[in-house]
């Protein structure tokens, strides 16, 4: 199958050997960045020179502790320095000055400048998103007029992190050449897992549930699992479009900073994953509860003068002891109070049974040809904007007229995400194979939402004894 993968996807395939390439781990690089490097330095057989890659990393991907030395080279020595990092730009309305920040090095807009001639050359790339990965070349604008014009670090040039164009329609067409079992293994390899390390397909699909928020807008999930199953790795290292949060979170940072008139994380990321949810703290729980509920329902942010819609989903990640891994027990009992109210629980679309995912072991590390993680994460990001899949699900999934809307919406949203992830080649209901859609999309969606409903019944007697509506597929031959 690896040869088949290489034949169809050609340049989008890299050789990953996580058992041998442990030096990457010591460099603490996310997988999308690692695969970009492999694509640059590997030959056609997947071989690369470790020293060559290491030298590139040391030259272009400095650590935070190197920043003082870099500033010395730029400001004092007058050098131009190139680094691969995240960059964010801003435009001052009052004076039309364009500035930038480097979040990884705490370089803020007040100390930077992008001069007009440089802005004209790179603005098309830098205005696409709040943050953009790329190779930035930095120089220094010296102070003038006895300090009236202050010295600033300036952007000299910018090269996009992704130098190739991604054709989503090509990706959809190529999927037709693989059966569902092959495709599941391909997706696992893309996120660095070896399909051979799983005991059965049920375990594989349990792992792939984590990718659903990558492909579907405003999909809210919760996963409770034992330690060591790779939750943080998937949500923090696979895609540059997601955000993994831990510790304290404020409403200003998450949604909108009223004092600074600054948009929060939900406007710039595909999902926000709260790691170790038991330890998450909110500065004002009551205020956060109200804002969370409004956002999780319709994606709206209404704070002060802000009334807008964002697309990020929320993923709550928590560790759970062995004796609590039971959908018939109250698994939300140990979570912060904000997540134990039935009103907020009802806005969570689905539950991931993390104990069905095996603990990370050497056999799960990929060693072979696989899709470039950076390429695939961008594909998933692009699929979020494709409404055709939801239209198909709306047409073929039927349920009783008196079915609870939150249950039907959750099931259809999850089923749509499964369809995008596992059957991206589907263009209309005529492409749907009823048995596969039921097995890989609809039934898993019903189960994931059903667990949430059961947990709500344990938290609030109003929901006790409630059951999921009956879903069926409309006869596709009609």
């Amino acid at each position: 199958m690896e040869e088949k993968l290489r034949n169809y996807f050609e340049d989008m395939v890299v050789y990953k050997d996580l058992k041998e390439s442990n030096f990457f781990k010591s460099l603490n690089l996310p997988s999308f960045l690692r695969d970009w490097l492999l694509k640059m330095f590997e030959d056609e057989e997947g071989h690369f020179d470790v020293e060559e890659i290491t030298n590139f990393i040391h030259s272009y991907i400095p650590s935070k502790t190197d920043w003082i030395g870099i500033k010395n080279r730029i400001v004092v020595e007058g050098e131009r320095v190139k680094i691969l990092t995240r960059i964010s730009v801003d435009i001052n309305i009052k004076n039309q000055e364009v500035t930038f920040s480097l979040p990884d090095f705490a370089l803020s807009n007040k100390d930077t400048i992008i001069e007009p001639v440089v802005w004209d050359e790179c603005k098309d790339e830098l205005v696409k998103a709040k943050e953009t990965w790329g190779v930035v070349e930095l120089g220094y604008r010296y102070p003038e007029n006895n300090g009236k014009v202050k010295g600033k670090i300036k952007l000299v040039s910018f090269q996009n992190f992704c130098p190739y164009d991604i054709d989503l329609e090509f990706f959809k067409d190529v999927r037709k050449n693989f059966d569902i079992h092959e495709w599941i293994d391909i997706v696992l390899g893309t996120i660095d897992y070896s399909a051979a390390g799983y005991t059965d397909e049920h375990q594989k699909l349990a792992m792939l549930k984590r990718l659903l928020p990558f492909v579907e807008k405003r999909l809210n999930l919760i996963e409770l699992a034992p330690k060591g199953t790779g939750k943080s790795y998937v949500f923090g290292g696979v895609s540059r479009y997601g955000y993994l949060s831990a510790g304290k979170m404020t409403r200003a940072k998450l949604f909108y900073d009223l004092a600074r008139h600054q948009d929060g994380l939900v406007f710039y990321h595909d999902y926000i994953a709260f790691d170790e949810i038991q330890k998450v703290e909110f500065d004002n729980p009551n205020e956060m509860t109200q804002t969370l509920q409004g956002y999780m329902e319709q994606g709206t942010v209404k704070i002060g003068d802000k009334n807008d819609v964002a697309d990020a989903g929320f993923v709550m990640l928590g560790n759970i002891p062995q004796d609590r891994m039971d959908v018939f027990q109250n698994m939300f009992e140990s979570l912060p109070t904000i997540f134990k109210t039935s009103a907020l629980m009802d806005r969570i679309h689905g539950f991931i049974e993390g104990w069905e995912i095996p603990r990370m072991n050497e056999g799960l590390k990929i060693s072979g040809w696989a899709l470039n993680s950076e390429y695939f994460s961008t594909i998933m990001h692009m699929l979020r904007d494709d409404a055709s899949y939801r239209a198909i699900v709306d047409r073929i999934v039927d349920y009783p007229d008196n079915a609870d809307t939150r249950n039907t919406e959750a099931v259809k949203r999850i089923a749509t995400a499964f369809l995008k992830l596992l059957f991206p080649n589907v263009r209309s209901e005529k492409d749907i194979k009823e048995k596969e859609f039921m097995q890989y999309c609809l039934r898993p969606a019903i189960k994931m939402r059903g667990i949430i409903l059961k947990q709500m019944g344990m938290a609030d007697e109003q929901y006790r004894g409630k059951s999921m509506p009956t879903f069926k597929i409309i006869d596709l031959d009609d």
Side-chain angles (χ1 to χ4, degrees):
M1 191 184 70
E2 287 187 0
E3 194 61 34
K4 185 176 176 181
L5 181 68
R6 294 182 70 186
N7 286 338
Y8 283 111
F9 281 102
E10 299 179 344
D11 292 342
M12 295 302 107
V13 178
V14 294
Y15 189 84
K16 306 181 186 184
D17 192 346
L18 300 193
K19 294 180 180 179
E20 297 297 328
S21 305
N22 284 329
F23 81 96
F24 273 117
K25 186 175 182 180
S26 66
L27 297 169
N28 198 30
L29 297 177
S31 60
F32 62 84
L33 185 52
R34 180 208 63 221
D35 283 5
W36 182 79
L37 289 170
L38 287 174
K39 181 174 168 54
M40 282 182 61
F41 289 99
E42 278 185 347
D43 61 23
E44 292 184 358
E45 300 303 318
H47 302 134
F48 58 85
D49 187 319
V50 173
E51 184 177 356
E52 188 178 16
I53 292 184
T54 302
N55 289 338
F56 178 89
I57 291 171
H58 288 161
S59 298
Y60 293 102
I61 311 178
S63 66
K64 289 180 174 64
T65 57
D66 296 325
W67 181 240
I68 295 297
I70 292 173
K71 280 203 295 186
N72 176 67
R73 291 170 59 193
I74 296 169
V75 178
V76 180
E77 305 295 335
E79 293 184 36
R80 290 184 174 183
V81 177
K82 287 185 177 183
I83 58 175
L84 175 59
T85 188
R86 293 180 295 157
I87 180 173
S88 177
V89 299
D90 194 16
I91 301 173
N92 189 309
I93 297 174
K94 294 179 180 179
N95 59 18
Q96 296 184 307
E97 191 173 78
V98 184
T99 59
F100 68 95
S101 63
L102 303 182
D104 292 333
F105 302 101
L107 179 65
S108 67
N109 296 81
K110 65 183 179 66
D111 295 320
T112 66
I113 188 72
I114 304 179
E115 295 170 339
V117 64
V118 176
W119 180 243
D120 286 341
E121 292 174 354
C122 62
K123 62 184 178 183
D124 290 342
E125 297 289 348
L126 293 175
V127 299
K128 289 180 179 179
K130 170 66 174 176
E131 289 182 350
T132 307
W133 275 87
V135 176
V136 299
E137 183 178 11
L138 305 174
Y140 187 60
R141 188 191 74 177
Y142 288 91
E144 298 176 353
N145 297 335
N146 296 320
K148 291 181 180 180
V149 177
K150 295 182 179 180
K152 291 189 174 184
I153 291 178
K154 65 180 181 179
L155 184 69
V156 177
S157 67
F158 176 79
Q159 179 186 346
N160 197 309
F161 170 71
C162 181
Y164 49 84
D165 292 325
I166 294 179
D167 187 338
L168 182 58
E169 295 306 310
F170 167 79
F171 175 85
K172 292 178 179 180
D173 288 336
V174 170
R175 165 63 181 90
K176 299 174 185 176
N177 299 289
F178 302 89
D179 64 37
I180 181 59
H181 310 294
E182 291 175 324
W183 189 249
I184 288 170
D185 290 356
I186 286 170
V187 176
L188 285 169
T190 300
I191 60 172
D192 297 348
Y193 288 90
S194 170
Y198 295 88
T199 58
D200 53 36
E201 193 166 84
H202 182 78
Q203 282 190 346
K204 296 176 183 179
L205 290 169
M207 168 61 80
L208 294 187
K209 288 176 183 177
R210 290 174 172 172
L211 298 182
L212 299 180
F214 291 57
V215 295
E216 183 68 8
K217 293 180 179 180
R218 295 200 302 271
L219 184 60
N220 307 316
L221 301 178
I222 184 168
E223 176 180 345
L224 299 179
K227 296 179 180 179
T229 59
K231 297 187 295 297
S232 302
Y233 178 76
V234 172
F235 290 103
V238 169
S239 174
R240 58 191 168 111
Y241 300 100
Y243 186 91
L244 181 66
S245 173
K248 190 172 183 178
M249 176 60 71
T250 65
R251 190 179 72 164
K253 182 178 180 181
L254 189 59
F255 293 108
Y256 183 66
D257 190 323
L258 193 56
R260 299 180 179 179
H261 300 282
Q262 190 173 72
D263 289 340
L265 295 170
V266 294
F267 290 96
Y268 302 119
H269 299 279
D270 288 354
Y271 61 83
I272 312 296
F274 295 102
D275 201 11
E276 296 191 19
I277 194 173
Q278 292 95 332
K279 300 178 183 178
V280 171
E281 297 179 9
F282 297 109
D283 59 337
N284 188 329
N286 292 332
E287 184 181 69
M288 183 65 83
T289 300
Q290 184 178 3
T291 309
L292 267 175
Q293 288 183 8
Y295 178 81
M296 292 173 71
E297 180 73 18
Q298 296 179 330
T300 56
V301 176
K302 295 181 179 179
I303 302 173
D305 61 347
K306 185 71 171 179
N307 187 354
D308 207 346
V309 177
D311 294 327
F314 285 131
V315 184
M316 281 67 80
L317 306 171
N319 296 322
I320 187 171
Q322 185 75 35
D323 61 352
R324 305 299 300 178
M325 299 178 196
D326 184 353
V327 298
F328 296 98
Q329 291 190 51
N330 187 348
M331 295 182 289
F332 284 61
E333 195 171 38
S334 62
L335 302 186
T337 303
I338 188 173
F339 296 111
K340 290 193 289 187
T341 63
S342 59
L344 193 135
M345 291 169 66
D346 202 8
R347 289 161 169 80
I348 300 174
H349 298 114
F351 186 97
I352 299 176
E353 298 166 276
W355 54 87
E356 295 182 340
I357 300 170
R359 183 177 171 84
M360 189 61 195
N361 59 74
E362 292 300 307
L364 289 174
K365 293 180 179 180
I366 189 171
S367 177
W369 293 96
L371 278 180
N372 178 340
S373 295
E374 198 280 327
Y375 166 72
F376 188 66
S377 68
T378 303
I379 288 289
M380 290 192 289
H381 173 71
M382 294 170 70
L383 283 169
R384 292 167 65 86
D385 288 323
D386 194 328
S388 66
Y389 298 92
R390 175 57 187 264
I392 293 170
V393 171
D394 284 340
R395 284 195 292 267
I396 69 174
V397 175
D398 193 24
Y399 41 82
D401 290 339
N402 64 350
D404 184 272
T405 298
R406 285 197 179 131
N407 289 331
T408 58
E409 175 62 24
V411 168
K412 289 198 289 185
R413 194 169 292 198
I414 296 172
T416 300
F418 273 119
L419 187 62
K420 290 179 179 180
L421 184 66
L422 300 179
F423 304 97
N425 55 294
V426 167
R427 306 294 179 91
S428 74
E429 52 265 47
K430 295 179 181 179
D431 298 326
I432 294 283
K433 295 180 180 179
E434 184 174 338
K435 184 178 179 180
E436 286 189 342
F437 179 79
M438 181 64 77
Q439 179 179 350
Y440 293 102
C441 302
L442 188 54
R443 282 185 190 141
I446 296 169
K447 183 179 180 182
M448 290 174 69
R449 175 59 183 180
I451 296 174
I452 295 294
L453 189 61
K454 192 179 295 292
Q455 293 296 304
M456 286 168 56
M458 297 177 194
D460 187 337
E461 63 179 15
Q462 177 185 344
Y463 297 93
R464 202 160 295 160
K466 298 283 186 181
S467 59
M468 290 290 291
T470 299
F471 291 86
K472 64 179 182 180
I473 300 176
I474 295 173
D475 191 348
L476 299 179
D477 294 326
D478 290 346

